[in-house]
Amino acid sequence: MNELISLQLDDCKDGMTKAVAHTESELTKIRAGKASPGMLDGIYVDYYGTPTPLSQVSNINTPDARTIVVQPWEKNLLSTIEKAIMDSNIGLNPQNDGSIIRLAVPPLTEERRRDLVKKVKEETEKGRVAIRNIRKDSNEQIKKLKNDGASEDEIKVGEAEVQKLTDTYIAKVDQLAELKEKDIMTI
């Protein structure tokens, strides 16, 4: 196979791997009834005028399956962290006891579970679209290689390889979605 096509396939594989990893990280943020420190990943706190991830200004633990404990490294950050959690709209009410913030994760209702499954489907569709866009870009790049001396047969083989990669990575995204849906619907 043409060396330039091989390089393009490597780029395609890297891009698709990143798309799957991004989808996985987005799915981690969708809570499934169990408390996890990852639920607070998208929350930023105003730390001396700089938006800083919550995990960089505090310890985040889960003492049990229904509780998250946030222990700031500086006591004066308690109210700022509390406000950031409330503003993040993740559906958890912070309880400040003066030294730590507790977040009680309520059990999910059937309706809320269905909403979360819809959210999972939206995120996985975004992942699939990202992978398809990478496929489209890779195929365009491979077609441009005809000018650099790649034969039509090599281009067809390259495009077939890109399609195989696409199918493989979309299957991975679908598998992530299936696991997350099962996790959400399990009581």
Side-chain angles (χ1 to χ4, degrees), residues 82-83 95 103 160:
E82 190 174 14
K83 184 179 183 326
Q95 294 152 355
L103 299 164

Side-chain angles (χ1 to χ4, degrees), residues 115-133:
D115 289 345
L116 290 174
V117 167
K118 282 182 192 169
K119 208 170 179 182
V120 166
K121 287 185 175 162
E122 287 171 17
E123 286 303 328
T124 51
E125 186 55 34
K126 286 179 190 173
R128 285 190 210 105
V129 167
I131 290 170
R132 288 187 202 117
N133 286 337

Side-chain angles (χ1 to χ4, degrees), residues 8 130 132-142:
Q8 188 56 48
R132 288 187 202 117
N133 286 337
I134 293 166
R135 173 185 63 189
K136 185 182 84 170
D137 294 344
S138 293
N139 282 337
E140 287 172 4
Q141 292 299 322
I142 287 173

Side-chain angles (χ1 to χ4, degrees), residues 7-54:
L7 289 171
Q8 188 56 48
L9 288 173
D10 289 345
D11 288 349
C12 176
K13 191 182 285 187
D14 289 346
M16 289 182 180
T17 302
K18 288 176 185 170
V20 169
H22 177 73
T23 303
E24 188 173 16
S25 75
E26 289 301 312
L27 290 177
T28 307
K29 294 176 188 171
I30 300 173
R31 70 185 186 95
K34 292 186 282 291
S36 104
M39 293 166 62
L40 305 178
D41 278 352
I43 298 178
Y44 285 80
V45 178
D46 182 39
Y47 185 64
Y48 296 109
T50 308
T52 309
L54 181 59

Side-chain angles (χ1 to χ4, degrees), residues 170-185:
I170 284 182
K172 287 181 182 181
V173 167
D174 290 343
Q175 189 178 16
L176 289 172
E178 200 176 296
L179 290 171
K180 189 67 178 183
E181 282 180 37
K182 189 185 286 183
D183 194 20
I184 288 171
M185 295 311 281

